Amino acid sequence: MEVLEELAARVERLATRPRPRTWPAGLTVHRSTGAGHPAEGHTRPTLALTVRGAKQTVLGRRTFEYRAGQYLMATLDLPVTGRVLEADPYLGIGLALRPELVAELSVAGGPLPRRGPVHALAVGDADGALLDAVVRLLRLTESPADFAVLAAAAEREVHWRLLSGPLGPTVRQVARLDQRVAVVGRAVRRITERFDEVVRVDDLAAHVGVSAPTLNRYFRAVTDLTPLQFQKRLRLQRARVRLATTTDDVASVGHSVGYESASQFSREYRRLFGVPPSRDTLDPLR
């Protein structure tokens, strides 16, 4: 597909030189020369489009693979594991989505059909209209005069192509128009703010205004995790970063993210990451 070839050339060029002065807010380009090890990270409301190669993102028990011409839609801030599967090299584009623009277009465009279950992450095929809109946005980065006049329209078109495409129901979640996602979003923020404290589902449910069974049901539907599983994964990801960036010992790091038992911390760390926490310390010989 010619438009993918142009996108690949532009990503290669943009990824290997200083960013143009007219760089759109929330736009990123990615280039990787080799398949990588799994890395922990967080999703945010984002379009992640693969231009060349393949990438994988794992949330809970679900695995999402997206190859050249496919995109991942993420609608919440969630802990995930991701890695590049194929790289020759791997090329990708990310664009942060604007909730206020999604809401505006949802209203202006009229009722859009629901097409199956809604999840916090989903993979779709990028059609020609979406790819054309993305490539036009990238072209504008090289022309300051054009960018000043046309960038807002190009970004708006990308949002509309996503909203009116096969993942429209997922995209609409970015505007918090879905009750389940709104509830889960509030719960996620509460857990993230207090990730190192004891979380009681009854208290969390009361905070977001639903019953505990309803919260658990919503959370599983949107994230494939329970609130407590989400908190555990968040704690362990925070711990992994701390182990790799400080000289604190394993027990201290476990305690800093909310574990009272060093043995429980080590056991759950190994279960999630496949290695004991001592392997991920700044000084692995310690």
Side-chain angles (χ1 to χ4, degrees), residues 9 36 48-49 61 74 85 95 119 125 137 160 172 181 188 229 243 247 255 265 281:
L49 172 66
R61 295 184 296 274
L85 295 176
L95 180 66
H119 193 260
D125 295 322
L137 182 60
W160 173 249
R172 284 204 299 275
V181 178
V188 163
Q229 288 171 336
L243 286 168
T247 57
H255 182 74
F265 169 60
T281 57

Side-chain angles (χ1 to χ4, degrees), residues 116-237:
V118 176
H119 193 260
L121 299 181
V123 170
D125 295 322
D127 62 16
L130 175 59
L131 293 175
D132 284 342
V134 173
V135 78
R136 283 197 297 275
L137 182 60
L138 289 190
R139 288 172 187 161
L140 292 175
T141 64
E142 301 183 20
S143 173
D146 290 343
F147 180 86
V149 176
L150 301 174
E155 185 180 13
R156 184 182 182 88
E157 183 181 355
V158 172
H159 280 66
W160 173 249
R161 297 303 181 189
L162 291 170
L163 191 58
S164 59
L167 298 187
T170 299
V171 178
R172 284 204 299 275
Q173 294 182 93
V174 174
R176 301 294 187 261
L177 301 179
D178 184 292
Q179 180 190 7
R180 292 173 303 170
V181 178
V183 168
V184 172
R186 292 198 300 272
V188 163
R189 287 192 293 273
R190 184 73 164 186
I191 294 171
T192 303
E193 291 168 357
R194 306 183 178 192
F195 75 93
D196 56 344
E197 301 177 10
V198 173
V199 170
R200 294 180 175 83
V201 176
D202 287 343
D203 294 339
L204 185 61
H207 174 73
V208 299
V210 297
S211 68
T214 296
L215 177 60
N216 274 315
R217 187 170 70 253
Y218 284 3
F219 225 97
R220 279 191 177 279
V222 173
T223 72
D224 203 40
L225 301 166
T226 67
L228 296 183
Q229 288 171 336
F230 173 84
Q231 183 195 32
K232 180 188 296 186
R233 185 174 285 263
L234 183 60
R235 282 180 169 182
L236 293 172
Q237 288 190 356

Side-chain angles (χ1 to χ4, degrees), residues 2 4 14 18 28 56-57 68 75 96 135 167 177 179 227 234 265:
E2 290 185 6
L4 273 179
L14 291 168
T28 56
Q56 179 188 82
T57 296
T75 62
V135 78
L167 298 187
L177 301 179
Q179 180 190 7
L234 183 60
F265 169 60

